[in-house]
Amino acid sequence: MSSSDIYETLGIRPIINAGGHMTILGGSVLSPEVREAMASANTAYTLMDDVFDGAGKAIADMLGTGGGLVTSGCYAALVQGAAAILAGSDAERIQQLPDTTGMKDEFLIQKPTRYRYDRSVTVPGGKLVEVGDEDSCTAQQLRDAIGSQTAGILYFAAGERFPNTVSLPDAIEIAHAAGIPILVDAAAEIYPLERMRRVATSGADLVCFGGKYLGSGNSTGILCGDGEYVSMARLNGFTGFETGNNSIGRGYKVDRQEVVGTTIALRHWLDADHEQRPRSPPDWPALTASTRTICGKRMGKARGCG
């Protein structure tokens, strides 16, 4: 059954996506290779921890990091990463979240780089502390803001392009000099490939990418970085809950097909000829005459244009 047929059966009107990899428009179109890998994974059951082990090693090898983990979106990667920083591998603390009594629970963020998704670190109980003012943040201000309750630094990778802010390498140096970890939201920082690899191997403790930008499912993400921190993020995920620690990440479940599909999508992304890619459109779903063109590109405020 084609996509247009299944949409028609359910009374759904397909659209032409002129907005890019937007969550509100479904995220991405899976390549035939990713669909085939997911279909193959669907043919047999296996232990999810074994799936995470195999995929995590492959992801870490591809990105050059100590560990890798497929999550249910970049937001979930940030939540699990923040939980790892707050509770670590302590079973009692993992179960206690989002109550952070007795824990360091503040995440520093440069005020000029505040963004919609930074509230992710508050889900497991973190508290955001702004550093600097609306227009700037200096390295010294970031150093001075580190206090007795500072759990870590949340760094918005796209904000590295903002003027008068602290660069990622400098933020990492400041964090590690103070003995605290840094969590990086690099959701769409996947091109050029040199940029993606530089962020992944920057020395940040945890780095998060959105799977949809790589051609994986809308509901997938990648958490990578220091192997110990990635392992702690897993303990704070849904498999950790099922093995008895009652973790806050129970709601961020992914299936084996998504884990395999995201791993294959990453491999294809890193191996792709990105000079040729813009001239080779993806395998678009079939569209009917009733399809509505979407021209808008901002946060679901798209307008029909014909």
Side-chain angles (χ1 to χ4, degrees), residues 147-217:
S148 60
Q149 283 299 108
T150 304
I153 293 175
L154 173 63
Y155 194 95
F156 180 39
E160 191 173 22
R161 303 180 182 90
F162 297 177
N164 304 315
T165 58
V166 182
S167 69
L168 178 57
D170 287 348
I172 292 170
E173 182 180 355
I174 291 168
H176 290 173
I180 60 173
I182 186 164
L183 172 65
V184 179
D185 182 349
E189 302 298 304
I190 49 85
Y191 186 80
L193 294 184
E194 292 77 13
R195 167 68 173 167
M196 184 180 190
R197 292 186 186 279
R198 182 174 73 81
V199 175
T201 60
S202 60
D205 301 276
L206 291 165
V207 178
C208 310
F209 294 106
K212 66 184 180 185
Y213 300 109
L214 305 165
S216 184

Side-chain angles (χ1 to χ4, degrees), residues 1 61 77 97 109 115 131 152 162 213 220 227 285 300 303:
M1 180 179 290
D61 288 346
L97 294 179
I109 185 168
Y115 67 115
V131 184
F162 297 177
Y213 300 109
T220 63
R303 294 181 294 129

Side-chain angles (χ1 to χ4, degrees), residues 2 13 47 82 111 134 170 177 181 197 242 285 294 302 305-306:
S2 70
R13 192 179 189 185
L47 292 173
K111 189 169 183 176
E134 294 286 350
D170 287 348
R197 292 186 186 279
E242 295 300 336
I294 293 294
C305 60

Side-chain angles (χ1 to χ4, degrees), residues 82-91 93-94 97 229 231-233 235-236:
I85 291 172
L86 291 167
S89 57
D90 186 307
R93 289 190 167 191
I94 289 172
L97 294 179
Y229 272 103
S231 295
M232 289 189 292
L235 291 176
N236 282 273

Side-chain angles (χ1 to χ4, degrees), residues 40-222:
S40 179
N42 192 45
T43 62
Y45 290 99
T46 187
L47 292 173
M48 285 304 304
D49 275 329
D50 288 347
V51 176
F52 282 131
D53 285 343
K57 183 179 185 307
I59 289 168
D61 288 346
M62 284 186 276
L63 293 176
T65 60
L69 177 67
V70 175
T71 63
S72 57
C74 187
Y75 195 93
L78 288 163
V79 173
Q80 287 184 233
I85 291 172
L86 291 167
S89 57
D90 186 307
E92 291 186 2
R93 289 190 167 191
I94 289 172
Q95 182 167 315
Q96 182 180 319
L97 294 179
D99 176 1
T100 58
T101 302
M103 308 179 202
K104 296 180 179 182
D105 60 3
E106 294 179 353
F107 285 86
L108 305 183
I109 185 168
Q110 299 180 74
K111 189 169 183 176
T113 69
R114 287 296 307 269
Y115 67 115
R116 293 179 64 198
Y117 304 106
D118 58 25
R119 74 191 305 267
S120 56
V121 302
T122 71
V123 173
K127 299 176 178 63
L128 284 167
V129 176
E130 296 179 341
V131 184
D133 55 35
E134 294 286 350
D135 300 315
S136 67
C137 178
T138 68
Q140 191 58 50
Q141 285 175 315
L142 194 58
R143 288 190 195 95
D144 292 344
I146 298 172
S148 60
Q149 283 299 108
T150 304
I153 293 175
L154 173 63
Y155 194 95
F156 180 39
E160 191 173 22
R161 303 180 182 90
F162 297 177
N164 304 315
T165 58
V166 182
S167 69
L168 178 57
D170 287 348
I172 292 170
E173 182 180 355
I174 291 168
H176 290 173
I180 60 173
I182 186 164
L183 172 65
V184 179
D185 182 349
E189 302 298 304
I190 49 85
Y191 186 80
L193 294 184
E194 292 77 13
R195 167 68 173 167
M196 184 180 190
R197 292 186 186 279
R198 182 174 73 81
V199 175
T201 60
S202 60
D205 301 276
L206 291 165
V207 178
C208 310
F209 294 106
K212 66 184 180 185
Y213 300 109
L214 305 165
S216 184
N218 198 23
S219 57
T220 63
I222 291 175

